[in-house]
Amino acid sequence: MADDVFKALADPTRRTILDELTQASGQTLFEICSRLSTRHGLGMSRQAVSQHLAVLESAGLVETRREGRYKFHDLNTAPLRQITERWLAHDPYGPEESTP
């Protein structure tokens, strides 16, 4: 599972899609395409965005649900938490505060 998550996060477009789902979870493919185009200047085809979403979904980072004719995409942070807890659970000092 972690390999799929790292593979999904390796692509900058997929990270941008996750950023957009962080801003507003529960978006349709059309809404995601629109946001990528207007906010990030990424003029991608719906098929290309759909393929990126499929990779994110197979990694467990995106969940989908259907309501009528629409398919909504929701962010799922559980795989990210599992990865961070993998190493942080064994750190006796906990996460360090960053200093400016």
Side-chain angles (χ1 to χ4, degrees), residues 28-56:
T28 64
L29 175 60
F30 177 78
E31 291 169 325
I32 293 169
C33 289
S34 296
R35 291 173 76 109
L36 290 177
S37 176
T38 58
R39 292 182 171 202
H40 304 281
L42 297 174
M44 302 176 64
S45 68
R46 289 172 50 112
Q47 290 80 12
V49 174
S50 182
Q51 288 176 346
H52 283 298
L53 285 167
V55 172
L56 291 169

Side-chain angles (χ1 to χ4, degrees), residues 12-29 31-42 49 53 56 62 73-75:
T13 300
R14 290 194 281 269
R15 291 193 303 268
T16 302
I17 292 171
L18 292 177
D19 289 341
E20 289 302 321
L21 289 175
T22 300
Q23 295 294 318
S25 195
Q27 296 182 55
T28 64
L29 175 60
E31 291 169 325
I32 293 169
C33 289
S34 296
R35 291 173 76 109
L36 290 177
S37 176
T38 58
R39 292 182 171 202
H40 304 281
L42 297 174
V49 174
L53 285 167
L56 291 169
V62 169
H73 300 83
D74 296 294
L75 176 66

Side-chain angles (χ1 to χ4, degrees), residues 8 47 57 80:
Q47 290 80 12
E57 188 175 357
L80 297 173

